[in-house]
Amino acid sequence: MKNIFPIEKCNVDVLGIILQHVVEEEVRYFVPHRSYIKTPRAKAVFNLMQVCRQWHQLVASTSCLWKILILSLQKPKQSVWETTKQFALFAKSGEVDVYIYDIHSHPSPYLSEHPLEKCASHKPFLIDILHLLPNIRKLFLEYSDESAAFGDFWSEKSTIHHLHYCGPPDSQGISLTSLTEKLPHLIHISLDDPGSIDTIPESGVALFSHLRVLELKFTESRILAEPVMRLLSHCPNLEGFTYLGSTYGSRLNQEFPSFQLEYLRDLEMDSSDLPDIFIHLIETPALRRLCFRDNSSRTLRDLVKKNPRIEDLAFHARDSSCYGEYLEFLPHLSNLSIRATGRGAFLSELYRRSSKESRPIGASTLRRVRVIIPQEYPVGASHFEKFVEARCIPANREGLTSARCQPLAELILDIPSPDDVLAEIYQCASWKKAKVTKEGDSVFVLQWSPENSQAVRSD
């Protein structure tokens, strides 16, 4: 008798809901790369179609399962056109995320004789492609060179609420004012090498009140700090802000007023003049997550001192002197991520108790610690031994550690040569009772519980 799996007994409606969860899980965690070749393929919907004839028919007729379309304009235009038409047919009017790579303004050396291939620029072809998809939710555009196509089709695509633009290094810049006027539903803007941004005029009315997330990354160019600050002053409802790159002009107009970002919870910055200006001009009472990609201990100190309710902190550290004194400013700290930039004892402040035994150990509220070790600073398990004893291993009946604090829920190590370190872990007495779970080639998670009597490996 043929075996029947439980899922085969599901009616079509229930099965459709299950398949929708599978696709939505992929959409939720999908992260595009700047390169088309390195970007993962969205395969869930196509894999589901290949299971059997019933599933093929169900997937093809369920528009909400068609969520992600990835295109490279380096491929023959006829192929791109047919792929988009088929996707649009299945997706119907459902919301879709579109990722388009290799957009350029110059003729391709691989043009064929097909009429679609004779267009010298991707500009009109790109517009035609997007017109096939009436309900774009997220749009990712990666330009290979300076192209006038950017911005010409926004009035036709007012449904977009997340725009990610990757420009060429010599880009002439982007007008955010024009963009937000044509895309009234835009709540998330990510600009990667946009060249420059327009100077927002002084106005008593916030021009970007609908914006929730703003990400600016300048790897090839430097811009003035003042346009960035003026832009932020027009985003009163911003919840997340990322700035990675160089700025110049640390002195703003003396009349530039301070302001408050009342809802900002997530802030990520690196080394530039902007963090210092940010500290002095902007109040962020709701800030809960801070990622600071720099070794400047003074700037980090000022940021955490001004925002004592931070719960999630990530930073770079040569040794514990870079951050040790700031722990007392963060009584609610739960998650800590440290990227080592030297061979120093960068965890010592998290287990070393002061001479006054009554003083609690630093950051006693921590539940999760992530340590990132670059290739140039290899370390072994012994480097973490004292930290593990003080912060990870339950040592008494109450479940507290030897430092009399709650053990961490997780210690996450992102390190070079993980197999060598894992071999040490299984032999090191301090690491007994650890459950080890690998997450990728160089990352593994360690968890301790009183019930485990020896190291347990779970790949």
Side-chain angles (χ1 to χ4, degrees):
M1 181 176 178
K2 182 182 177 182
N3 291 329
I4 299 178
F5 295 99
I7 197 167
E8 295 183 77
K9 300 178 182 178
C10 291
N11 63 44
V12 174
D13 293 336
V14 174
L15 182 58
I17 294 172
I18 294 173
L19 300 187
Q20 186 173 349
H21 279 294
V22 173
V23 173
E24 288 179 349
E25 189 77 1
E26 181 179 58
V27 173
R28 185 178 297 113
Y29 294 105
F30 183 81
V31 178
H33 195 274
R34 177 74 187 254
S35 163
Y36 171 77
I37 296 176
K38 295 182 180 180
T39 293
R41 298 294 173 260
K43 297 180 178 179
V45 68
F46 299 103
N47 291 340
L48 293 173
M49 290 185 77
Q50 296 175 13
V51 173
C52 64
R53 183 178 299 175
Q54 180 195 8
W55 283 33
H56 185 284
Q57 294 173 344
L58 178 59
V59 171
S61 61
T62 308
S63 60
C64 64
L65 298 179
W66 295 86
K67 296 285 190 179
I68 301 179
L69 175 62
I70 305 172
L71 301 170
S72 170
L73 298 195
Q74 287 281 46
K75 294 187 175 182
K77 289 184 179 179
Q78 181 65 21
S79 172
V80 174
W81 181 259
E82 293 299 332
T83 298
T84 308
K85 280 182 61 178
Q86 184 182 38
F87 189 95
L89 178 66
F90 289 145
K92 297 182 175 67
S93 60
E95 287 188 340
V96 298
D97 298 346
V98 182
Y99 301 85
I100 303 179
Y101 290 85
D102 304 312
I103 306 168
H104 58 78
S105 58
H106 303 298
S108 169
Y110 305 107
L111 298 181
S112 73
E113 292 303 314
H114 193 282
L116 277 173
E117 307 296 327
K118 293 182 178 180
C119 178
S121 169
H122 278 152
K123 172 183 173 181
F125 183 58
L126 176 62
I127 296 173
D128 288 341
I129 287 176
L130 295 176
H131 283 176
L132 289 174
L133 303 163
N135 196 4
I136 297 177
R137 182 184 72 108
K138 181 186 296 185
L139 180 61
F140 177 102
L141 299 174
E142 187 269 331
Y143 281 75
S144 300
D145 60 23
E146 180 58 34
S147 175
F150 185 78
D152 288 357
F153 44 79
W154 300 131
S155 59
E156 302 292 332
K157 293 290 134 192
S158 60
T159 61
I160 296 171
H161 74 69
H162 183 155
L163 174 66
H164 190 146
Y165 166 85
C166 296
D170 58 348
S171 173
Q172 296 300 309
I174 289 177
S175 171
L176 288 173
T177 308
S178 174
L179 228 123
T180 53
E181 288 175 354
K182 295 180 178 180
L183 297 175
H185 301 292
L186 197 62
I187 62 173
H188 187 145
I189 298 178
S190 181
L191 303 179
D192 191 342
D193 275 331
S196 64
I197 56 175
D198 52 330
T199 301
I200 311 301
E202 295 185 28
S203 171
V205 179
L207 300 179
F208 310 112
S209 59
H210 55 288
L211 203 59
R212 298 294 184 270
V213 179
L214 176 62
E215 299 172 340
L216 302 175
K217 302 175 184 178
F218 295 85
T219 59
E220 301 288 343
S221 58
R222 300 176 69 215
I223 67 170
L224 282 166
E226 185 160 340
V228 179
M229 300 306 292
R230 194 168 297 282
L231 169 62
L232 289 175
S233 70
H234 282 272
C235 304
N237 297 311
L238 205 63
E239 298 173 6
F241 176 58
T242 297
Y243 186 92
L244 304 177
S246 299
T247 57
Y248 62 95
S250 57
R251 293 187 178 182
L252 303 185
N253 187 320
Q254 291 184 352
E255 299 180 356
F256 199 99
S258 59
F259 58 96
Q260 178 171 291
L261 294 177
E262 182 179 357
Y263 304 103
L264 189 73
R265 294 182 59 87
D266 196 323
L267 176 63
E268 182 173 357
M269 289 183 169
D270 64 359
S271 56
S272 67
D273 294 326
L274 203 62
D276 290 329
I277 301 172
F278 193 98
I279 292 168
H280 292 100
L281 276 185
I282 305 178
E283 296 293 329
T284 52
L287 190 66
R288 295 296 181 269
R289 177 183 177 273
L290 171 64
C291 178
F292 187 57
R293 302 186 181 190
D294 188 41
N295 287 317
S296 173
S297 57
R298 178 186 61 80
T299 304
L300 179 61
R301 177 198 64 201
D302 292 344
L303 280 168
V304 301
K305 191 173 182 179
K306 191 174 181 179
N307 298 279
R309 299 194 66 81
I310 289 175
E311 299 170 359
D312 192 328
L313 177 63
F315 57 88
H316 294 192
R318 287 184 295 270
D319 53 52
S320 60
S321 64
C322 298
Y323 68 91
E325 62 181 289
Y326 318 144
L327 296 177
E328 61 185 86
F329 299 136
L330 301 174
H332 306 284
L333 189 63
S334 178
N335 302 310
L336 182 65
S337 177
I338 302 177
R339 182 180 179 86
T341 58
R343 300 178 186 275
F346 49 86
L347 291 175
S348 62
E349 284 294 334
L350 297 174
Y351 62 79
R352 185 172 57 195
R353 188 182 297 277
S354 68
S355 57
K356 299 179 181 179
E357 287 297 318
S358 59
R359 179 184 173 184
I361 198 167
S364 59
T365 55
L366 273 179
R367 302 299 299 134
R368 186 172 289 101
V369 171
R370 184 184 189 97
V371 181
I372 305 168
I373 309 292
Q375 190 72 36
E376 59 267 29
Y377 304 119
V379 297
S382 58
H383 197 91
F384 307 98
E385 190 168 352
K386 292 182 179 179
F387 171 78
V388 167
E389 290 178 350
R391 301 305 302 257
C392 300
I393 302 176
N396 57 29
R397 292 181 179 178
E398 289 77 25
L400 301 179
T401 68
S402 60
R404 300 198 298 277
C405 65
Q406 290 289 336
L408 295 177
E410 291 181 345
L411 171 61
I412 306 167
L413 299 181
D414 186 342
I415 58 179
S417 305
D419 291 337
D420 296 340
V421 177
L422 281 173
E424 288 187 55
I425 288 175
Y426 300 133
Q427 300 175 8
C428 185
S430 299
W431 296 68
K432 294 295 176 65
K433 301 181 182 178
K435 178 183 178 182
V436 184
T437 306
K438 291 195 69 173
E439 291 189 353
D441 295 333
S442 62
V443 181
F444 52 89
V445 180
L446 298 112
Q447 298 169 302
W448 282 261
S449 65
E451 293 79 14
N452 294 336
S453 59
Q454 59 183 357
V456 179
R457 182 169 184 168
S458 174
D459 289 328

